[in-house]
Amino acid sequence: MKPFTYERVSTPAEAAAAVVRTPDARFIAGGTNLLDLMKLQIETPAHLVDVNGLALDRIEDTPDGGVRVGALVRNTDLAAHPRIRRDYGVLSRALVAGASGQLRNKATTAGNLLQRTRCPYFYDTNQPCNKRRPGSGCGAIGGFSRPLAVIGGSGACIATHPSDMAVAMRLLDATVETVDAAGRRRAIPIADFHRLPGTTPHIETALAPGELITAVTLPRPIGGAHIYRKVRDRASYAFALVSVAAVIQRDGSGHVALGGVAPRPWRIEAAEAALPRGAAPVAARLMEGAAPTADNRFKLPLVERTLAAVIAQARAA
Amino acid sequence: MDDLSPLSISRRGVLIGTVAATAIGAGPWAETKATSRRAQPTLMKVRLTVNGERRDLELDTRTTLLDALREHLRLTGTKKGCDHGQCGACTVIVDGRRINSCLTLAVMHEGAGITTIEGLGTPDRLHPMQAAFVKHDGYQCGYCTPGQICSAVAVLDEISTGIPSHVTPDLSMPPQPTNAEMRERMSGNICRCGAYSNIAEAMAEVAGAGA
């Protein structure tokens, strides 16, 4: 790791101000992704602002019947919370499908949203990567692309977003709350939070420099069968090849979002009208315009089959 | 250590000479402030309670909790495997929760209570999980074992406090200490010798005794 200075802060605005004030500064919370990247010198911050002392670790009911999840709530605690298990089961299921027990004990709600891709070319500093070194090219296009995006990528980047939690958040229409150094607050719909790579794959979210996530809110629960089905190379502790988050109602209507296929949680609301007619028309609409490589073309039929399994599971519930 | 070895002294001399030459060489160049600040390691004080004992340290901010335990406190029971949070050999229990000590900085744990394998039991007074690992042959080479045991102790605690896992059948019911639950929850601890089935048996015995 490169040397860095370190400070603790006690309010969100103070945290944002500290990051804006110091060149090459980063927030650190759980640190499970950032420190891994710092050891590999993919991330080389000169200053770390430790936000763990902020009082952002609560899960509260909101006046409109939803729930507000503090940015520092650990993945374990979010998955285990009685309200989340009862009303937002797909979120609990997505969380426990991700990482390991040790990592979930450290990883935070905000950090999970902000985690970086596990594209092997992003991780290998000897390889070109437009996300890690803008303008250097993309080693994945024409290289080993089996785990990478089949849709939403660009000629500059085909990395996938690695989160399971974010897929469930996208399905549930979550809102990301932030504060900046001037104390200004923003509420960003999760659909607008993660950016597609286009020609600037190093810009991954809608956050401005120094803007700090304070909470994620979920709207009032929508009932239905909550399912998160993840297909991966190992039965546990592996990233998704394809995952499906779904809430399906008794009449067959519902919502679906995909993980493992795109640079952000992948949801096309217009596809959901076809859910009562089965997996094929939904998958076709979700994957319209897909540009798979020879290595990851298998994800297209896998999306349809995983979706079919989810619909069957919902009918049996 | 082997400070009396002529080889060691001469190597150290060479190293000191190299550092001095670098420092002199660097002096005349007008480095930017940012560059020189970045090159300097930052030391910070941190207070930890490790296995019930208060420990005051002054560490390079880069020091992971794992390196603080092993290299500064000489608690070498906790092992460094991959150093990237993938293998679980570095698992310790911090304020009641198991974590990968390689993926966290020591300075982030001011005031925290840390339990390592040395704090769970001693050769004369084994923790029940240590005794069960011995009885069920839950290891071969033993390198991953301290992490496995710290993880296993925390897993049973997680099950008893109702934290769900990927294989928990019903989110509205408390999870049970079944073989499937043990295996899923232990997936962050890799054992290249493949002692998994015996580890699950050791855990089942301890879970059964506690039930």
PDB file of all heavy atoms in Angstrom, chain A residues 1 3-4 6 8 29 36 39 44 77 85 93 102 105-106 236-237, chain B residues 38 61-62 83-85 91 97-98 102 107-109 168 171 184 187 189:
ATOM      1  N   MET A   1       0.840  -1.204   0.000  1.00  0.00           N
ATOM      2  CA  MET A   1       0.000   0.000   0.000  1.00  0.00           C
ATOM      3  C   MET A   1       0.870   1.247   0.000  1.00  0.00           C
ATOM      4  O   MET A   1       1.924   1.274   0.618  1.00  0.00           O
ATOM      5  CB  MET A   1      -0.853   0.031   1.275  1.00  0.00           C
ATOM      6  CG  MET A   1      -2.194  -0.633   1.160  1.00  0.00           C
ATOM      7  SD  MET A   1      -3.176  -0.389   2.655  1.00  0.00           S
ATOM      8  CE  MET A   1      -2.868  -1.898   3.552  1.00  0.00           C
ATOM      9  N   PRO A   3       1.696   4.981   1.307  1.00  0.00           N
ATOM     10  CA  PRO A   3       1.405   5.633   2.594  1.00  0.00           C
ATOM     11  C   PRO A   3       0.204   6.584   2.463  1.00  0.00           C
ATOM     12  O   PRO A   3      -0.018   7.161   1.402  1.00  0.00           O
ATOM     13  CB  PRO A   3       2.682   6.429   2.880  1.00  0.00           C
ATOM     14  CG  PRO A   3       3.747   5.772   2.082  1.00  0.00           C
ATOM     15  CD  PRO A   3       3.066   5.248   0.851  1.00  0.00           C
ATOM     16  N   PHE A   4      -0.531   6.721   3.570  1.00  0.00           N
ATOM     17  CA  PHE A   4      -1.663   7.650   3.575  1.00  0.00           C
ATOM     18  C   PHE A   4      -1.842   8.196   4.984  1.00  0.00           C
ATOM     19  O   PHE A   4      -1.447   7.566   5.961  1.00  0.00           O
ATOM     20  CB  PHE A   4      -2.951   6.956   3.105  1.00  0.00           C
ATOM     21  CG  PHE A   4      -3.289   5.710   3.874  1.00  0.00           C
ATOM     22  CD1 PHE A   4      -3.955   5.769   5.086  1.00  0.00           C
ATOM     23  CD2 PHE A   4      -2.921   4.458   3.381  1.00  0.00           C
ATOM     24  CE1 PHE A   4      -4.263   4.617   5.791  1.00  0.00           C
ATOM     25  CE2 PHE A   4      -3.204   3.300   4.088  1.00  0.00           C
ATOM     26  CZ  PHE A   4      -3.874   3.372   5.300  1.00  0.00           C
ATOM     27  N   TYR A   6      -4.676   9.647   7.858  1.00  0.00           N
ATOM     28  CA  TYR A   6      -5.944   9.053   8.287  1.00  0.00           C
ATOM     29  C   TYR A   6      -6.599   9.957   9.314  1.00  0.00           C
ATOM     30  O   TYR A   6      -5.914  10.504  10.184  1.00  0.00           O
ATOM     31  CB  TYR A   6      -5.634   7.688   8.894  1.00  0.00           C
ATOM     32  CG  TYR A   6      -6.753   7.026   9.677  1.00  0.00           C
ATOM     33  CD1 TYR A   6      -7.616   6.125   9.065  1.00  0.00           C
ATOM     34  CD2 TYR A   6      -6.922   7.272  11.035  1.00  0.00           C
ATOM     35  CE1 TYR A   6      -8.627   5.494   9.779  1.00  0.00           C
ATOM     36  CE2 TYR A   6      -7.934   6.656  11.757  1.00  0.00           C
ATOM     37  CZ  TYR A   6      -8.774   5.774  11.124  1.00  0.00           C
ATOM     38  OH  TYR A   6      -9.765   5.150  11.834  1.00  0.00           O
ATOM     39  N   ARG A   8     -10.492  10.547  11.676  1.00  0.00           N
ATOM     40  CA  ARG A   8     -11.860  10.145  12.007  1.00  0.00           C
ATOM     41  C   ARG A   8     -12.718  11.399  12.062  1.00  0.00           C
ATOM     42  O   ARG A   8     -12.230  12.466  12.432  1.00  0.00           O
ATOM     43  CB  ARG A   8     -11.900   9.437  13.360  1.00  0.00           C
ATOM     44  CG  ARG A   8     -11.013   8.216  13.417  1.00  0.00           C
ATOM     45  CD  ARG A   8     -11.154   7.462  14.733  1.00  0.00           C
ATOM     46  NE  ARG A   8     -10.147   6.407  14.800  1.00  0.00           N
ATOM     47  CZ  ARG A   8      -9.050   6.465  15.560  1.00  0.00           C
ATOM     48  NH1 ARG A   8      -8.840   7.497  16.356  1.00  0.00           N
ATOM     49  NH2 ARG A   8      -8.175   5.478  15.533  1.00  0.00           N
ATOM     50  N   ALA A  29     -15.272   2.881   5.216  1.00  0.00           N
ATOM     51  CA  ALA A  29     -16.253   2.392   6.198  1.00  0.00           C
ATOM     52  C   ALA A  29     -15.893   0.951   6.521  1.00  0.00           C
ATOM     53  O   ALA A  29     -15.013   0.694   7.338  1.00  0.00           O
ATOM     54  CB  ALA A  29     -17.665   2.537   5.651  1.00  0.00           C
ATOM     55  N   ASP A  36      -8.548  -3.996  -0.161  1.00  0.00           N
ATOM     56  CA  ASP A  36      -8.109  -4.987  -1.136  1.00  0.00           C
ATOM     57  C   ASP A  36      -7.502  -4.278  -2.350  1.00  0.00           C
ATOM     58  O   ASP A  36      -6.403  -4.614  -2.814  1.00  0.00           O
ATOM     59  CB  ASP A  36      -9.330  -5.832  -1.535  1.00  0.00           C
ATOM     60  CG  ASP A  36      -8.988  -6.987  -2.456  1.00  0.00           C
ATOM     61  OD1 ASP A  36      -7.840  -7.479  -2.387  1.00  0.00           O
ATOM     62  OD2 ASP A  36      -9.865  -7.411  -3.223  1.00  0.00           O
ATOM     63  N   LYS A  39      -4.122  -2.559  -1.550  1.00  0.00           N
ATOM     64  CA  LYS A  39      -2.983  -3.483  -1.507  1.00  0.00           C
ATOM     65  C   LYS A  39      -2.448  -3.755  -2.901  1.00  0.00           C
ATOM     66  O   LYS A  39      -1.257  -3.983  -3.084  1.00  0.00           O
ATOM     67  CB  LYS A  39      -3.411  -4.803  -0.857  1.00  0.00           C
ATOM     68  CG  LYS A  39      -3.641  -4.685   0.636  1.00  0.00           C
ATOM     69  CD  LYS A  39      -4.041  -6.024   1.218  1.00  0.00           C
ATOM     70  CE  LYS A  39      -4.326  -5.869   2.702  1.00  0.00           C
ATOM     71  NZ  LYS A  39      -4.410  -7.159   3.391  1.00  0.00           N
ATOM     72  N   THR A  44      -5.121   4.303  -4.788  1.00  0.00           N
ATOM     73  CA  THR A  44      -3.945   4.829  -4.082  1.00  0.00           C
ATOM     74  C   THR A  44      -4.282   6.147  -3.383  1.00  0.00           C
ATOM     75  O   THR A  44      -3.678   7.183  -3.683  1.00  0.00           O
ATOM     76  CB  THR A  44      -2.767   5.044  -5.057  1.00  0.00           C
ATOM     77  OG1 THR A  44      -3.231   5.864  -6.135  1.00  0.00           O
ATOM     78  CG2 THR A  44      -2.239   3.739  -5.609  1.00  0.00           C
ATOM     79  N   ASP A  77     -26.437  -7.215   9.494  1.00  0.00           N
ATOM     80  CA  ASP A  77     -27.525  -6.654  10.289  1.00  0.00           C
ATOM     81  C   ASP A  77     -28.735  -6.301   9.430  1.00  0.00           C
ATOM     82  O   ASP A  77     -29.876  -6.425   9.875  1.00  0.00           O
ATOM     83  CB  ASP A  77     -27.037  -5.417  11.053  1.00  0.00           C
ATOM     84  CG  ASP A  77     -25.952  -5.780  12.046  1.00  0.00           C
ATOM     85  OD1 ASP A  77     -26.171  -6.728  12.817  1.00  0.00           O
ATOM     86  OD2 ASP A  77     -24.883  -5.141  12.032  1.00  0.00           O
ATOM     87  N   ARG A  85     -36.572  -8.879   6.859  1.00  0.00           N
ATOM     88  CA  ARG A  85     -36.921 -10.285   6.593  1.00  0.00           C
ATOM     89  C   ARG A  85     -38.411 -10.434   6.293  1.00  0.00           C
ATOM     90  O   ARG A  85     -38.805 -11.225   5.440  1.00  0.00           O
ATOM     91  CB  ARG A  85     -36.539 -11.157   7.795  1.00  0.00           C
ATOM     92  CG  ARG A  85     -35.050 -11.489   7.837  1.00  0.00           C
ATOM     93  CD  ARG A  85     -34.752 -12.535   8.884  1.00  0.00           C
ATOM     94  NE  ARG A  85     -34.739 -11.960  10.209  1.00  0.00           N
ATOM     95  CZ  ARG A  85     -35.169 -12.594  11.310  1.00  0.00           C
ATOM     96  NH1 ARG A  85     -35.652 -13.822  11.221  1.00  0.00           N
ATOM     97  NH2 ARG A  85     -35.097 -12.010  12.475  1.00  0.00           N
ATOM     98  N   ARG A  93     -32.479 -11.993   1.143  1.00  0.00           N
ATOM     99  CA  ARG A  93     -31.974 -13.119   0.337  1.00  0.00           C
ATOM    100  C   ARG A  93     -30.777 -12.708  -0.523  1.00  0.00           C
ATOM    101  O   ARG A  93     -29.811 -13.453  -0.657  1.00  0.00           O
ATOM    102  CB  ARG A  93     -33.087 -13.663  -0.555  1.00  0.00           C
ATOM    103  CG  ARG A  93     -34.149 -14.464   0.177  1.00  0.00           C
ATOM    104  CD  ARG A  93     -33.588 -15.766   0.678  1.00  0.00           C
ATOM    105  NE  ARG A  93     -34.575 -16.591   1.369  1.00  0.00           N
ATOM    106  CZ  ARG A  93     -34.250 -17.585   2.195  1.00  0.00           C
ATOM    107  NH1 ARG A  93     -32.982 -17.864   2.435  1.00  0.00           N
ATOM    108  NH2 ARG A  93     -35.183 -18.294   2.782  1.00  0.00           N
ATOM    109  N   GLN A 102     -17.796 -13.442   7.152  1.00  0.00           N
ATOM    110  CA  GLN A 102     -16.830 -12.460   7.668  1.00  0.00           C
ATOM    111  C   GLN A 102     -16.974 -11.116   6.958  1.00  0.00           C
ATOM    112  O   GLN A 102     -16.927 -10.048   7.580  1.00  0.00           O
ATOM    113  CB  GLN A 102     -15.388 -12.970   7.470  1.00  0.00           C
ATOM    114  CG  GLN A 102     -15.003 -14.129   8.364  1.00  0.00           C
ATOM    115  CD  GLN A 102     -15.163 -15.466   7.666  1.00  0.00           C
ATOM    116  OE1 GLN A 102     -16.148 -15.696   6.963  1.00  0.00           O
ATOM    117  NE2 GLN A 102     -14.220 -16.367   7.864  1.00  0.00           N
ATOM    118  N   ASN A 105     -20.142  -9.148   7.807  1.00  0.00           N
ATOM    119  CA  ASN A 105     -20.079  -8.508   9.129  1.00  0.00           C
ATOM    120  C   ASN A 105     -19.423  -7.135   9.068  1.00  0.00           C
ATOM    121  O   ASN A 105     -19.623  -6.304   9.957  1.00  0.00           O
ATOM    122  CB  ASN A 105     -19.289  -9.382  10.106  1.00  0.00           C
ATOM    123  CG  ASN A 105     -20.128 -10.521  10.649  1.00  0.00           C
ATOM    124  OD1 ASN A 105     -21.350 -10.493  10.572  1.00  0.00           O
ATOM    125  ND2 ASN A 105     -19.473 -11.536  11.197  1.00  0.00           N
ATOM    126  N   LYS A 106     -18.610  -6.885   8.072  1.00  0.00           N
ATOM    127  CA  LYS A 106     -17.896  -5.609   7.937  1.00  0.00           C
ATOM    128  C   LYS A 106     -18.543  -4.709   6.898  1.00  0.00           C
ATOM    129  O   LYS A 106     -18.637  -3.498   7.081  1.00  0.00           O
ATOM    130  CB  LYS A 106     -16.446  -5.891   7.495  1.00  0.00           C
ATOM    131  CG  LYS A 106     -15.440  -5.908   8.625  1.00  0.00           C
ATOM    132  CD  LYS A 106     -15.143  -4.501   9.072  1.00  0.00           C
ATOM    133  CE  LYS A 106     -14.373  -4.508  10.371  1.00  0.00           C
ATOM    134  NZ  LYS A 106     -14.467  -3.222  11.067  1.00  0.00           N
ATOM    135  N   SER A 236     -21.390 -21.381  -3.007  1.00  0.00           N
ATOM    136  CA  SER A 236     -21.330 -20.307  -2.020  1.00  0.00           C
ATOM    137  C   SER A 236     -20.079 -19.471  -2.259  1.00  0.00           C
ATOM    138  O   SER A 236     -19.080 -19.955  -2.789  1.00  0.00           O
ATOM    139  CB  SER A 236     -21.287 -20.911  -0.612  1.00  0.00           C
ATOM    140  OG  SER A 236     -21.325 -19.879   0.369  1.00  0.00           O
ATOM    141  N   TYR A 237     -20.120 -18.214  -1.822  1.00  0.00           N
ATOM    142  CA  TYR A 237     -18.964 -17.328  -1.853  1.00  0.00           C
ATOM    143  C   TYR A 237     -18.369 -17.220  -3.257  1.00  0.00           C
ATOM    144  O   TYR A 237     -17.187 -17.518  -3.483  1.00  0.00           O
ATOM    145  CB  TYR A 237     -17.909 -17.816  -0.838  1.00  0.00           C
ATOM    146  CG  TYR A 237     -16.864 -16.777  -0.489  1.00  0.00           C
ATOM    147  CD1 TYR A 237     -17.093 -15.440  -0.726  1.00  0.00           C
ATOM    148  CD2 TYR A 237     -15.654 -17.146   0.074  1.00  0.00           C
ATOM    149  CE1 TYR A 237     -16.146 -14.505  -0.406  1.00  0.00           C
ATOM    150  CE2 TYR A 237     -14.688 -16.216   0.396  1.00  0.00           C
ATOM    151  CZ  TYR A 237     -14.942 -14.894   0.141  1.00  0.00           C
ATOM    152  OH  TYR A 237     -13.993 -13.964   0.448  1.00  0.00           O
TER     153      TYR A 237
ATOM    154  N   ARG B  38       3.285  12.039   0.438  1.00  0.00           N
ATOM    155  CA  ARG B  38       2.832  10.705   0.103  1.00  0.00           C
ATOM    156  C   ARG B  38       3.914   9.666   0.398  1.00  0.00           C
ATOM    157  O   ARG B  38       3.606   8.538   0.775  1.00  0.00           O
ATOM    158  CB  ARG B  38       2.480  10.681  -1.378  1.00  0.00           C
ATOM    159  CG  ARG B  38       1.906   9.418  -1.865  1.00  0.00           C
ATOM    160  CD  ARG B  38       1.380   9.633  -3.255  1.00  0.00           C
ATOM    161  NE  ARG B  38      -0.021   9.995  -3.207  1.00  0.00           N
ATOM    162  CZ  ARG B  38      -0.974   9.243  -3.763  1.00  0.00           C
ATOM    163  NH1 ARG B  38      -0.658   8.152  -4.407  1.00  0.00           N
ATOM    164  NH2 ARG B  38      -2.225   9.584  -3.682  1.00  0.00           N
ATOM    165  N   THR B  61      -0.122   3.838   9.535  1.00  0.00           N
ATOM    166  CA  THR B  61      -1.571   3.759   9.266  1.00  0.00           C
ATOM    167  C   THR B  61      -1.919   2.586   8.353  1.00  0.00           C
ATOM    168  O   THR B  61      -3.039   2.103   8.359  1.00  0.00           O
ATOM    169  CB  THR B  61      -2.084   5.051   8.592  1.00  0.00           C
ATOM    170  OG1 THR B  61      -1.245   5.338   7.468  1.00  0.00           O
ATOM    171  CG2 THR B  61      -2.068   6.226   9.559  1.00  0.00           C
ATOM    172  N   ARG B  62      -0.942   2.128   7.558  1.00  0.00           N
ATOM    173  CA  ARG B  62      -1.215   1.044   6.609  1.00  0.00           C
ATOM    174  C   ARG B  62      -1.336  -0.321   7.272  1.00  0.00           C
ATOM    175  O   ARG B  62      -1.723  -1.288   6.630  1.00  0.00           O
ATOM    176  CB  ARG B  62      -0.097   0.966   5.556  1.00  0.00           C
ATOM    177  CG  ARG B  62      -0.062   2.151   4.636  1.00  0.00           C
ATOM    178  CD  ARG B  62       1.156   2.117   3.746  1.00  0.00           C
ATOM    179  NE  ARG B  62       2.387   2.355   4.502  1.00  0.00           N
ATOM    180  CZ  ARG B  62       3.603   2.378   3.969  1.00  0.00           C
ATOM    181  NH1 ARG B  62       3.753   2.163   2.671  1.00  0.00           N
ATOM    182  NH2 ARG B  62       4.654   2.615   4.713  1.00  0.00           N
ATOM    183  N   ASP B  83      -4.249 -12.783   2.244  1.00  0.00           N
ATOM    184  CA  ASP B  83      -4.160 -11.350   2.547  1.00  0.00           C
ATOM    185  C   ASP B  83      -5.141 -10.523   1.712  1.00  0.00           C
ATOM    186  O   ASP B  83      -4.955  -9.335   1.556  1.00  0.00           O
ATOM    187  CB  ASP B  83      -2.717 -10.843   2.338  1.00  0.00           C
ATOM    188  CG  ASP B  83      -2.390  -9.660   3.259  1.00  0.00           C
ATOM    189  OD1 ASP B  83      -3.018  -9.540   4.332  1.00  0.00           O
ATOM    190  OD2 ASP B  83      -1.506  -8.857   2.899  1.00  0.00           O
ATOM    191  N   HIS B  84      -6.170 -11.160   1.158  1.00  0.00           N
ATOM    192  CA  HIS B  84      -7.176 -10.439   0.373  1.00  0.00           C
ATOM    193  C   HIS B  84      -8.605 -10.821   0.739  1.00  0.00           C
ATOM    194  O   HIS B  84      -9.523 -10.627  -0.066  1.00  0.00           O
ATOM    195  CB  HIS B  84      -6.939 -10.654  -1.122  1.00  0.00           C
ATOM    196  CG  HIS B  84      -5.751  -9.893  -1.636  1.00  0.00           C
ATOM    197  ND1 HIS B  84      -5.807  -8.557  -1.964  1.00  0.00           N
ATOM    198  CD2 HIS B  84      -4.469 -10.270  -1.831  1.00  0.00           C
ATOM    199  CE1 HIS B  84      -4.607  -8.146  -2.356  1.00  0.00           C
ATOM    200  NE2 HIS B  84      -3.779  -9.162  -2.281  1.00  0.00           N
ATOM    201  N   GLY B  85      -8.803 -11.410   1.910  1.00  0.00           N
ATOM    202  CA  GLY B  85     -10.174 -11.695   2.340  1.00  0.00           C
ATOM    203  C   GLY B  85     -10.832 -12.865   1.641  1.00  0.00           C
ATOM    204  O   GLY B  85     -12.044 -13.021   1.715  1.00  0.00           O
ATOM    205  N   THR B  91      -9.197 -14.984  10.175  1.00  0.00           N
ATOM    206  CA  THR B  91     -10.441 -14.669  10.893  1.00  0.00           C
ATOM    207  C   THR B  91     -10.206 -14.493  12.390  1.00  0.00           C
ATOM    208  O   THR B  91      -9.617 -15.354  13.037  1.00  0.00           O
ATOM    209  CB  THR B  91     -11.490 -15.773  10.668  1.00  0.00           C
ATOM    210  OG1 THR B  91     -11.694 -15.930   9.260  1.00  0.00           O
ATOM    211  CG2 THR B  91     -12.814 -15.431  11.353  1.00  0.00           C
ATOM    212  N   ARG B  97     -18.066 -10.136  16.601  1.00  0.00           N
ATOM    213  CA  ARG B  97     -18.311 -10.525  15.207  1.00  0.00           C
ATOM    214  C   ARG B  97     -17.024 -11.020  14.554  1.00  0.00           C
ATOM    215  O   ARG B  97     -15.981 -10.407  14.714  1.00  0.00           O
ATOM    216  CB  ARG B  97     -18.819  -9.311  14.415  1.00  0.00           C
ATOM    217  CG  ARG B  97     -20.245  -8.880  14.758  1.00  0.00           C
ATOM    218  CD  ARG B  97     -21.229  -9.740  13.996  1.00  0.00           C
ATOM    219  NE  ARG B  97     -22.617  -9.471  14.334  1.00  0.00           N
ATOM    220  CZ  ARG B  97     -23.394  -8.602  13.675  1.00  0.00           C
ATOM    221  NH1 ARG B  97     -22.891  -7.894  12.692  1.00  0.00           N
ATOM    222  NH2 ARG B  97     -24.649  -8.452  14.012  1.00  0.00           N
ATOM    223  N   ARG B  98     -17.154 -12.113  13.780  1.00  0.00           N
ATOM    224  CA  ARG B  98     -15.968 -12.597  13.040  1.00  0.00           C
ATOM    225  C   ARG B  98     -15.721 -11.711  11.829  1.00  0.00           C
ATOM    226  O   ARG B  98     -16.662 -11.341  11.116  1.00  0.00           O
ATOM    227  CB  ARG B  98     -16.154 -14.050  12.609  1.00  0.00           C
ATOM    228  CG  ARG B  98     -17.365 -14.253  11.735  1.00  0.00           C
ATOM    229  CD  ARG B  98     -17.502 -15.698  11.290  1.00  0.00           C
ATOM    230  NE  ARG B  98     -18.816 -15.884  10.672  1.00  0.00           N
ATOM    231  CZ  ARG B  98     -19.054 -16.663   9.625  1.00  0.00           C
ATOM    232  NH1 ARG B  98     -18.081 -17.370   9.084  1.00  0.00           N
ATOM    233  NH2 ARG B  98     -20.259 -16.780   9.117  1.00  0.00           N
ATOM    234  N   CYS B 102      -7.285  -9.265   7.778  1.00  0.00           N
ATOM    235  CA  CYS B 102      -6.403  -8.754   6.720  1.00  0.00           C
ATOM    236  C   CYS B 102      -7.036  -7.597   5.964  1.00  0.00           C
ATOM    237  O   CYS B 102      -6.352  -6.850   5.288  1.00  0.00           O
ATOM    238  CB  CYS B 102      -6.021  -9.860   5.738  1.00  0.00           C
ATOM    239  SG  CYS B 102      -7.347 -10.339   4.597  1.00  0.00           S
ATOM    240  N   VAL B 107      -5.860   0.906  12.878  1.00  0.00           N
ATOM    241  CA  VAL B 107      -6.281   2.217  13.403  1.00  0.00           C
ATOM    242  C   VAL B 107      -7.796   2.417  13.341  1.00  0.00           C
ATOM    243  O   VAL B 107      -8.334   3.319  13.987  1.00  0.00           O
ATOM    244  CB  VAL B 107      -5.581   3.400  12.675  1.00  0.00           C
ATOM    245  CG1 VAL B 107      -4.098   3.405  12.972  1.00  0.00           C
ATOM    246  CG2 VAL B 107      -5.856   3.374  11.185  1.00  0.00           C
ATOM    247  N   MET B 108      -8.487   1.574  12.579  1.00  0.00           N
ATOM    248  CA  MET B 108      -9.954   1.666  12.520  1.00  0.00           C
ATOM    249  C   MET B 108     -10.609   0.986  13.724  1.00  0.00           C
ATOM    250  O   MET B 108     -11.834   0.958  13.805  1.00  0.00           O
ATOM    251  CB  MET B 108     -10.470   1.019  11.229  1.00  0.00           C
ATOM    252  CG  MET B 108     -10.105   1.777   9.964  1.00  0.00           C
ATOM    253  SD  MET B 108     -10.371   0.797   8.475  1.00  0.00           S
ATOM    254  CE  MET B 108     -12.161   0.666   8.451  1.00  0.00           C
ATOM    255  N   HIS B 109      -9.802   0.415  14.627  1.00  0.00           N
ATOM    256  CA  HIS B 109     -10.372  -0.360  15.730  1.00  0.00           C
ATOM    257  C   HIS B 109     -10.016   0.184  17.098  1.00  0.00           C
ATOM    258  O   HIS B 109      -9.930  -0.579  18.066  1.00  0.00           O
ATOM    259  CB  HIS B 109      -9.979  -1.834  15.572  1.00  0.00           C
ATOM    260  CG  HIS B 109     -10.612  -2.446  14.364  1.00  0.00           C
ATOM    261  ND1 HIS B 109     -11.907  -2.896  14.382  1.00  0.00           N
ATOM    262  CD2 HIS B 109     -10.170  -2.583  13.107  1.00  0.00           C
ATOM    263  CE1 HIS B 109     -12.221  -3.314  13.157  1.00  0.00           C
ATOM    264  NE2 HIS B 109     -11.192  -3.134  12.370  1.00  0.00           N
ATOM    265  N   THR B 168     -30.935 -20.850   4.725  1.00  0.00           N
ATOM    266  CA  THR B 168     -32.032 -20.850   5.701  1.00  0.00           C
ATOM    267  C   THR B 168     -33.354 -20.972   4.938  1.00  0.00           C
ATOM    268  O   THR B 168     -33.639 -20.143   4.070  1.00  0.00           O
ATOM    269  CB  THR B 168     -32.011 -19.545   6.520  1.00  0.00           C
ATOM    270  OG1 THR B 168     -30.715 -19.418   7.131  1.00  0.00           O
ATOM    271  CG2 THR B 168     -33.080 -19.557   7.599  1.00  0.00           C
ATOM    272  N   LEU B 171     -37.275 -17.330   6.101  1.00  0.00           N
ATOM    273  CA  LEU B 171     -36.744 -16.145   6.778  1.00  0.00           C
ATOM    274  C   LEU B 171     -37.541 -15.788   8.028  1.00  0.00           C
ATOM    275  O   LEU B 171     -37.061 -15.035   8.873  1.00  0.00           O
ATOM    276  CB  LEU B 171     -36.750 -14.947   5.825  1.00  0.00           C
ATOM    277  CG  LEU B 171     -35.729 -14.942   4.684  1.00  0.00           C
ATOM    278  CD1 LEU B 171     -35.946 -13.734   3.789  1.00  0.00           C
ATOM    279  CD2 LEU B 171     -34.303 -14.956   5.221  1.00  0.00           C
ATOM    280  N   GLU B 184     -22.622 -23.780   4.597  1.00  0.00           N
ATOM    281  CA  GLU B 184     -22.822 -22.498   3.920  1.00  0.00           C
ATOM    282  C   GLU B 184     -22.094 -21.373   4.672  1.00  0.00           C
ATOM    283  O   GLU B 184     -21.381 -20.569   4.094  1.00  0.00           O
ATOM    284  CB  GLU B 184     -24.316 -22.196   3.808  1.00  0.00           C
ATOM    285  CG  GLU B 184     -24.686 -20.735   3.560  1.00  0.00           C
ATOM    286  CD  GLU B 184     -24.119 -20.144   2.283  1.00  0.00           C
ATOM    287  OE1 GLU B 184     -23.822 -20.904   1.336  1.00  0.00           O
ATOM    288  OE2 GLU B 184     -23.951 -18.902   2.251  1.00  0.00           O
ATOM    289  N   SER B 187     -18.247 -20.960   4.333  1.00  0.00           N
ATOM    290  CA  SER B 187     -17.676 -20.914   2.979  1.00  0.00           C
ATOM    291  C   SER B 187     -16.582 -19.864   2.833  1.00  0.00           C
ATOM    292  O   SER B 187     -15.831 -19.896   1.864  1.00  0.00           O
ATOM    293  CB  SER B 187     -18.774 -20.686   1.941  1.00  0.00           C
ATOM    294  OG  SER B 187     -19.312 -19.377   2.060  1.00  0.00           O
ATOM    295  N   ASN B 189     -14.045 -19.753   4.761  1.00  0.00           N
ATOM    296  CA  ASN B 189     -12.828 -20.361   5.317  1.00  0.00           C
ATOM    297  C   ASN B 189     -12.421 -21.532   4.438  1.00  0.00           C
ATOM    298  O   ASN B 189     -13.092 -22.563   4.412  1.00  0.00           O
ATOM    299  CB  ASN B 189     -13.065 -20.852   6.752  1.00  0.00           C
ATOM    300  CG  ASN B 189     -13.240 -19.703   7.720  1.00  0.00           C
ATOM    301  OD1 ASN B 189     -14.329 -19.166   7.852  1.00  0.00           O
ATOM    302  ND2 ASN B 189     -12.156 -19.304   8.370  1.00  0.00           N
TER     303      ASN B 189
END
